[in-house]
Each structure stands twice: as structure tokens, then as C-alpha cells.
Amino acid sequence: MKLEKFLALTAAMAPIAAVAVPVVVQAADAEEVTEVVVTARRPLAESEASALQAQRKSDSLVSVISADAIGNLPDQNIAFAVSRLPGVTVERDQGQARYVNLRGAPNYWTTLSFDGLSVVSPEGRASRFDNIPSAIASQVVVQKAIVPSMPGDTVAGNVEIRTRRAFDYKGQKIVGKLGLGHVELGDGEEKDSSLVYSNTFLGGKLGVVAQASYYSRDMATENWETDPYLVPDAGSVTKRFAQESKNKHYRLTRENYSFSTRVDYKLNDNHEVFFSTINTAFDDTEHRDQFIFQLNQGTTASGVTYGSSAFYATQAANFNPVSDTVYGGRISARITYRNYYDRMSTNTIGGESKFGGGLDMSWRLNYTWTDNTTDVPLELRFQNGSASGSGFLARPTFKYDFTSGSSNIVELYRTTGTTSARTVGARVQNIEDFDMPMSQATRQEDREITEAWTAKVDFDKDATLFGRDSKVEFGFLYTDRIKERNVRNEARKLSTTARLANIVQDGPYLGKQRLGYTFRYSNIDAAYALYNGLSIDTPDTRSLADFWKVNETITAGYLMATTKFEWGNLVYGSRVEQIELATSAFSNGKLIKTSREETLFYPSAHLNWNLNDRMKVRVGLTTSASRPDFDETRPNFTINTSEQSISGGNPDATPEKQTGLDTYFEWYAPKHFFSAGVFYKDIQDVLAKTSRPFGRTDLDTPTQSYANFSYVTRRNVGDGYLSGLELYYSGSFEPLFEKMNFPAWTHGFGVRATAMFAKSEVTLPAVDGVPARKISLPGTSDEAYNLQATYEKYGLSVRLAYQFRTASMQEVGDYKLVAGKVVPNGNGDIYWDADEEVDLSVRYQLNKHIELYLDGQNLSNDGAKRYGDTVLYPIEFERFGSRYIAGFRFNY
């Protein structure tokens, strides 16, 4: 379905959808709401009312998303769902929300938990949320202020997913959805389905809930990359020229599926036990046909090698970095098939007990297993031959044009003339017309497995402290996590006759960007047949150089209290954690082992002040520490003897420590909610990639010392801060329109709007003559906005959502001195450019059991862009297209 057809359909559904602006129904002034009664369902209002009730009752700073009355969250996965909340931004992959940034902090500062138990993500510290379907959750709580009962590595906050319990419903409950849609780019199909069954047995003592979901989409992606940028090693010319330009033509299928079940049993009125298993999976099958135009293997018209020292000394001043001609360059074609597997299984036995006298206990025993695998079952490479002698005549001349911003255009021509005086020959349209013999045939499996065992017990006891009614909470936790990486490689002997044309198929180009050439997509069966027909050169072998293993053990305890006052309460206490870390890896033919332990304390205090029945002020003082990722502590080292450099992990990296202050105001009123808050985090021992002398001796051999080699790794480099302002308003126009005697149908309009303004700064130390410099924290946008316009009345719900965030740093880069000036060494710091997305959701309640829905995502089709050092040097641009899906939800 095309965008214009979609908009025409939604416009025909009203006057309602034509003016979309939101409605909100809230818990109003009541201290507690046990039931929301509506004559026609208003899903967004139901969800909002339940969420604000939970937020209002919380003793710390939280934002909440609740399912509506039939158990639906309005977005397909958890990342999309929480992105609607204040202070939340997301990082996307292939147009799909994946990582969560809370209040502008790095994504690895956000932790993940299920039903009060923190779990490790398949990728490590950076929790992925695109592999968790929203069908699992009855409520999602974003905990922004850290209390002692939460893990100490919760720096920015925690996303708590509260799963469904059978006891939440009366008797049998069956809820589900079926949807089928269209992906504009690639003309693919989108499917979305889920089913939840819940029931109680044995007179209400036994509760069982089971859930399953499946989501998939077939799509194509437009992608170009231009990197790395070449910078002169000497001289006064500081223009930056792209080493190569690439077009990556993706065809991919992305799937998410899940299964979970929970069994609760009430032993009696005071004791319950349960078992739950939550299993999620993410599969990404990617077929990438990539063409790399290697500019630095060509020359100028006079035969000077592009990007060489001679080029910068004699010709770069008159050469245009974004639009010019390179003679006799090289084309490389890479046919790469990738399978990304991401699995998580978290299994818990637990219970709740009331012992009388105000003493309660909660306990959990958990085993979590994750698998983060990147398989490359096939990679075939083809490229032009040598340019020595007259060989340059068989190579193309590139006329490149990088000025558009959305399409990097490389036109292909024959190369003519002599070695020292090259000229442009005839235009070549089909890239296959250039001879590209096979240069590589390989496959690889890269797998990271994590196993975690956790035991957790929590107590709370009613008490009197300082003459005030209080609740005292204390508990203990033990977690043993092991993460291991193994890589296997295989190589096949090359065919002297194989060419790209042997494995391609006729068919249209699936993208819309401008290209300077034509090509044909690879035929999957033909590519595998070619690979399997080659004899084995290097058999399937485990790569010891890529192996590493990290064992992290955490022993923790906490004590906290909540003391009540006439005006509110005070939550205070501390947590202590002892962390033991043991690592091992093969480097330089040796098995290197390291171990370390440390003890950290995390005091905190939170004040919750009820100004009146509608207004609250929250003030929190918190401490936390983000530990380095597992792979960052591995003792893997790659040695480059010729350049006297070493890169790899850093077993000596220590946690980034944080002290935070939050001050928030909340206003709850009938049909309206407003909050405003400021936050500040003082950060110590920030981790960033830098270069220093290696210093270690455990890699040394009798003939070689590496202590003075340059060592590039992530290490604790300095201090910094993160500060900001967060605003949120949610309101219905119903009271205003009633007073103005507007027609009844207009009373369903409302609006929700969030805004965040943040600033961060980290001072990096001087390195190799480059003076100290200041950067922003990775993942921090200066501004982020989320505007939702909704309409809910007569069983119709419409939500038009707009999200925008300014540019944010992705990773810290290298810099060097050239003629006394600091310039990027390669791309330098890498940034994601500003990002925006427009989504539309339309739902109609056909009857009390069936609801129809129609969703459109990424309607603006805004591309994702990365750049190096400054926006003048884009290094990647991707466009994913719009998606539309329609279906029905059922509730029995």
C-alpha cells in the first residue's frame, strides 16, 4: 500500500482522523482507582490512566506504560513502546528501534529486568529491546532514579518489564492479534501475530498464563558508505579525501518470536510460589551485494596515486573531495550472506510470603542463557587485477559525485591514455563489464554464549523509625555470569574462471537511490552452489586468536527504609557489591589470564513531597557505577609489529562512577498531567578509546619486547558530567471543548508532548602530542522531542506520533597532529546525524471482542546518516522505506 493510499483511507474515516490531536483520561483526584469503566473502549486513555496511577504511587522517579483493558500495548516491541516516554530516545537498526537511551546517557547505562530480576542482554551491557515483543508485558516501568534494591550498574535507569499473571484476570482470558502489511522499500511483506491464554484452576489457587508471538518483515535497504577519510601525514594541505565509496544493496528478512509461560500457585493466603520462563529470539537473514570503489588505488590524470604523499604535496589543493575523477581505480564486489541470531531464555522459580507482624519475603532463583551469534555462511569476493604496467587499462575510471547527501554517485568509464597521462574513455553502464576474478571464498561463525545463575531474596518489615511509621527493606543477591566467545573460519580454494556474472539473476533494482551504474542481484542458490563446488583450502577451524572468556561474580546486599511524614515520605539506604572478575584469552600464542576484585558502595536518598492532592515534588540523590562491557575486559591483543602498535581489550578497565541529583515536579489533574525535572550526573573514570604505551610484559618473547608499543583500547581517561531538563504534558481537550459548547465528537481530541534538553562533557587527556579535548558522552543528543496527537471517541482511536532527536556521538575516534594542526586520524569521532520518525496508528472497536487496526511506520522515510568529525564528512547513509500493516485484535 502506498503512502498516498494510506492517507486517503485514514482521511475518509472522519472528520476525526483529519484533525488528529490526543486525548488522555487519568486517575483524577482519587487516591486509588481499582477499576476503569467505559462504555466504549478507549485504549490509549485506559493505558494512560493505569500508567499514571502506578507512577503517582511510586516512591521514586518512574515513567510507566500500561497495557489497556484487553492487555495490548500500542507498539510492536518494547523499544518502540518506551520511546514514547519523556526523557527516552532510541537507537535504530534497519529502521527498527533497538537500544534505549535514558535522558541522553549511553545505551549501556540502561539495564533490563523482568519482574524485579535484572538479566544480562545477549550483547552484554548494552541491553537490546528490539528482541522483546510488547505482547509479553502487562506493564513497562522505566525507573530513572536508582534505589538500593536495584543493581549498582543501573546508571541512567532500568527498564522493568512486568509480565502477565493469571491472577490479574477473572477466570479465562484469551487475547491476541493478527496483522499483515506491506514494506514499501523492496516490496516486502510484514506479519505480526500474538496469542495470550490465561486461566485459573483449583478454585483459584492455580494460575497459568502462556504467551506466544511472531513478527517478520521482508525488506530492502538503500545504503552507501564513504570512508575512511584520508588525511595527509605532513604538509599544509588538510583536505580530507574518501579512501573508498561503497554501495551496500541489502535484501533481508527480520523475524522476532517469543514464548513465555508463568504458573502461580497459592499455597494459602500468606504464601505463593511461581515458575516462569521467558524465551525471545531475533533472527536477521541478510543478503548483501556490495560494490566497493577503491579510489585510493587509482590516480589523478597525471598518474599520481590518489591519497598518497605526492598527491597531497602536488595536486590535492586543486582536487575536489566531493566531486572529481580518479583514473584506473579498483572495483571490489563482495557477496556476503549473514545470519544474525539473538536468543534469550530466562527461567525463574520464586515465591512471596507473609509471616505476620508486618514481615514479608520475596525470593528468586534464576537461570538465564543468551546466544549472540553472527554467522557468515558465505562470502565471495571478486576484484579487478593489478594495475602494474598497462594493467590500469583494464580498470575503471571513476567520476564520483558525493554532493547529494542521499545518493553517492559513482559513474564508470573505460580508462585510456598512458601511465603518466590518463584519459577518460567510453561510459560503462553495467558493472559486470569489468573483469573481476574471484579473490576470496570464506565462511565464519562468531558466537557469544552467556550463562548466568542468580539467587535473590528480599525482605520488608513494618517498623517505627525516628518516631515515624516506616518500612525497612533489606536483601541479598548472588550472580555468577560467564560469557564466552568462539569463532570458527573456513576458506575455499579460488576458481580461476569464476566471475560475478556466474551467480547473478535478472530482476529490478529494489531501491530508489541514484546509482551511476547498473547491476544484478546475486542468486542465492547459485552463490552457494559455487562455494560448495570449491575445494577446501583451510578447513573449518576454531580461531584461538578470537577466543575469550569472562567470568563475573557479584555478591550484593542492601538496606533501605521508607519513612512516612504528613507531607510525603523519605526513601534512604545503601547497597554494597563485591565484584570478582576473571578473564582469559589467547594472544601471541599464549593463554593470558587475569583476575581482579573490587567492592563498591551505593548510598542514595529520595524525597517525595506531596504539595497538595494534585502536586508532588521528587528529589533524589543517587550513586551508581557502569562496569566495562565483557569484551572490553578480555585479554585479547592484536599485534602489528611493523607499526609497533597493539589493539584489543583492557583487563585493567574499571567502572565509570556516577553521582546524580534529580529534582522533579509532577501535577496530576483530571484529564491532564504535567511534569518537569532537572537532572545532573557527575561522572568519574569515563571509558573512551585512547592510545598509550602497552606497558605489559606477558606477551614478550625472548627476542621481542612489546612494553613500548602503542596500545589502543578503551580505558578510564577522565571525568565529566551530564545535565538536562525534561518536560512532559499529557492532556485532553474535552473539558475545554465542553465549556466552549463544541460538538460532542470533538471531545475526543488531546495531546501528549515530551521534550528533553541535555548537555554532557567529558575531558579526554592529551595523547601523542594531541592536546586534551572535550567531547560529549556517546548517545547524548542535545535535544529530543516526542509529540503525539490522538483522538479517542465512539470506539475509534487515532495516534499520530512524531519523534525527533538531534545528532549524537556514536564512538570516540583518533586524532593526530599534521603541521601543528589537530586533524582526524581516519574518520575521527563518529556521529549519528539528527533522526526523526512519523508513525500513525488507527484502531476501531468493532464489538466488545474484536478491534481492527491500521498502522503506518516511518511515514516520513527519513534516512539514517552518520558522519566523521563534522557533518561535512558523511560516512554512511541508509534509507529503509515506510511500512504499513493492518489486522485485528481479539479479546475473549
Side-chain angles (χ1 to χ4, degrees), residues 174-393:
I174 301 175
V175 177
K177 69 176 176 180
L178 289 171
L180 182 65
H182 176 76
V183 182
E184 198 168 38
L185 195 59
D187 199 27
E189 191 173 67
E190 185 172 18
K191 302 174 184 176
D192 191 13
S193 61
S194 67
L195 179 66
V196 179
Y197 173 80
S198 174
N199 208 345
T200 56
F201 306 91
L202 303 179
K205 285 191 171 184
L206 177 67
V208 178
V209 60
Q211 170 273 334
S213 70
Y214 176 77
Y215 170 83
S216 72
R217 79 172 183 263
D218 300 311
M219 61 179 291
T221 300
E222 299 175 349
N223 175 286
W224 60 254
E225 294 184 25
T226 302
D227 77 299
Y229 284 97
L230 303 172
V231 181
D233 292 322
S236 59
V237 177
T238 56
K239 285 185 180 179
R240 299 169 62 197
F241 292 88
Q243 177 174 304
E244 58 189 28
S245 185
K246 312 172 189 175
N247 286 121
K248 296 181 180 179
H249 305 293
Y250 291 89
R251 294 165 292 164
L252 59 92
T253 298
R254 177 160 287 187
E255 298 176 290
N256 296 78
Y257 41 97
S258 71
F259 170 75
S260 65
T261 186
R262 175 168 172 145
V263 179
D264 290 85
Y265 184 72
K266 293 181 179 180
L267 299 172
N268 53 47
D269 290 341
N270 295 319
H271 302 281
E272 294 183 18
V273 293
F274 75 91
F275 167 76
S276 75
T277 179
I278 302 170
N279 303 275
T280 68
F282 169 92
D283 288 353
D284 192 273
T285 303
E286 172 188 301
H287 301 114
R288 180 199 298 172
D289 298 336
Q290 180 179 186
F291 297 103
I292 305 172
F293 307 105
Q294 295 178 275
L295 305 175
N296 66 320
Q297 296 202 26
T299 73
T300 65
S302 61
V304 176
T305 302
Y306 172 96
S308 66
S309 297
F311 170 81
Y312 279 106
T314 63
Q315 299 181 39
N318 298 317
F319 219 77
N320 190 335
V322 297
S323 179
D324 222 306
T325 303
V326 173
Y327 300 81
R330 170 176 272 179
I331 301 176
S332 293
R334 295 183 185 177
I335 309 303
T336 306
Y337 297 162
R338 293 178 182 266
N339 296 327
Y340 296 96
Y341 303 112
D342 192 288
R343 307 279 191 269
M344 179 173 63
S345 177
T346 182
N347 308 275
T348 306
I349 298 173
E352 313 287 338
S353 295
K354 296 180 179 180
F355 295 108
L359 176 64
D360 298 339
M361 181 185 75
S362 173
W363 60 275
R364 304 284 189 270
L365 297 174
N366 175 270
Y367 170 72
T368 296
W369 174 89
T370 72
D371 179 2
N372 182 33
T373 295
T374 303
D375 282 344
V376 183
L378 176 145
E379 182 165 273
L380 300 174
R381 297 188 182 187
F382 306 84
Q383 68 176 11
N384 292 132
S386 170
S388 60
S390 60
F392 73 91
L393 296 172

Side-chain angles (χ1 to χ4, degrees), residues 288-547:
R288 180 199 298 172
D289 298 336
Q290 180 179 186
F291 297 103
I292 305 172
F293 307 105
Q294 295 178 275
L295 305 175
N296 66 320
Q297 296 202 26
T299 73
T300 65
S302 61
V304 176
T305 302
Y306 172 96
S308 66
S309 297
F311 170 81
Y312 279 106
T314 63
Q315 299 181 39
N318 298 317
F319 219 77
N320 190 335
V322 297
S323 179
D324 222 306
T325 303
V326 173
Y327 300 81
R330 170 176 272 179
I331 301 176
S332 293
R334 295 183 185 177
I335 309 303
T336 306
Y337 297 162
R338 293 178 182 266
N339 296 327
Y340 296 96
Y341 303 112
D342 192 288
R343 307 279 191 269
M344 179 173 63
S345 177
T346 182
N347 308 275
T348 306
I349 298 173
E352 313 287 338
S353 295
K354 296 180 179 180
F355 295 108
L359 176 64
D360 298 339
M361 181 185 75
S362 173
W363 60 275
R364 304 284 189 270
L365 297 174
N366 175 270
Y367 170 72
T368 296
W369 174 89
T370 72
D371 179 2
N372 182 33
T373 295
T374 303
D375 282 344
V376 183
L378 176 145
E379 182 165 273
L380 300 174
R381 297 188 182 187
F382 306 84
Q383 68 176 11
N384 292 132
S386 170
S388 60
S390 60
F392 73 91
L393 296 172
R395 288 189 173 191
T397 285
F398 302 133
K399 286 190 176 182
Y400 63 85
D401 183 353
F402 303 155
T403 58
S404 133
S406 60
S407 295
N408 269 14
I409 302 167
V410 179
E411 294 181 348
L412 309 178
Y413 296 83
R414 294 292 180 187
T415 303
T416 54
T418 64
T419 302
S420 59
R422 301 187 180 187
T423 55
V424 178
R427 175 82 181 271
V428 177
Q429 293 286 353
N430 185 0
I431 200 168
E432 296 166 32
D433 288 349
F434 289 99
D435 186 46
M436 290 182 281
M438 180 183 286
S439 61
Q440 182 176 312
T442 57
R443 63 168 44 143
Q444 182 184 78
E445 178 187 282
D446 188 342
R447 192 174 193 188
E448 295 180 5
I449 300 292
T450 306
E451 292 185 282
W453 297 263
T454 301
K456 182 175 183 283
V457 60
D458 300 277
F459 298 89
D460 63 79
K461 176 77 169 67
D462 292 335
T464 301
L465 297 176
F466 313 110
R468 296 282 181 176
D469 290 341
S470 303
K471 181 174 71 173
V472 176
E473 299 174 65
F474 60 97
F476 307 94
L477 175 141
Y478 176 82
T479 294
D480 188 11
R481 297 171 175 170
I482 298 176
K483 190 176 185 72
E484 182 175 315
R485 182 195 187 202
N486 283 287
V487 177
R488 303 188 68 88
N489 296 298
E490 178 188 270
R492 298 287 176 113
K493 294 183 178 178
L494 304 181
S495 166
T496 59
T497 59
R499 296 295 186 271
L500 181 63
N502 302 139
I503 58 168
V504 296
Q505 61 189 20
D506 292 331
Y509 173 48
L510 299 177
K512 297 181 179 180
Q513 65 181 329
R514 291 178 58 202
L515 302 174
Y517 59 93
T518 60
F519 77 100
R520 293 183 292 172
Y521 288 100
S522 62
N523 180 284
I524 298 168
D525 293 335
Y528 277 114
L530 174 59
Y531 182 89
N532 293 330
L534 301 173
S535 59
I536 293 177
D537 186 14
T538 303
D540 184 4
T541 305
R542 180 188 181 195
S543 172
L544 291 181
D546 293 307
F547 163 81

Side-chain angles (χ1 to χ4, degrees), residues 54-62 569 606-609 616-620 662-666 668 678:
Q55 178 176 324
R56 187 175 187 178
K57 294 170 64 176
S58 173
D59 289 329
S60 64
L61 180 63
V62 299
N569 62 46
H606 300 270
L607 181 146
N608 299 285
W609 181 14
K616 296 176 74 82
V617 171
R618 302 183 189 270
V619 180
D662 303 307
T663 302
Y664 277 71
F665 168 79
E666 297 173 351
Y668 299 82
V678 293

Side-chain angles (χ1 to χ4, degrees), residues 617-646:
V617 171
R618 302 183 189 270
V619 180
L621 180 64
T622 61
T623 56
S624 57
S626 173
R627 297 189 293 276
D629 211 341
F630 297 95
D631 63 338
E632 292 176 350
T633 60
R634 74 195 192 282
N636 277 104
F637 306 107
T638 301
I639 302 173
N640 187 323
T641 305
S642 62
E643 295 185 3
Q644 295 196 341
S645 65
I646 296 176

Side-chain angles (χ1 to χ4, degrees), residues 704-716:
Q704 179 68 63
S705 172
Y706 299 101
N708 293 322
F709 276 35
S710 176
Y711 175 34
V712 178
T713 189
R714 275 175 59 88
R715 53 170 56 89
N716 303 95

Side-chain angles (χ1 to χ4, degrees), residues 546-557:
D546 293 307
F547 163 81
W548 53 263
K549 182 178 181 179
V550 176
N551 186 185
E552 179 183 69
T553 302
I554 304 170
T555 305

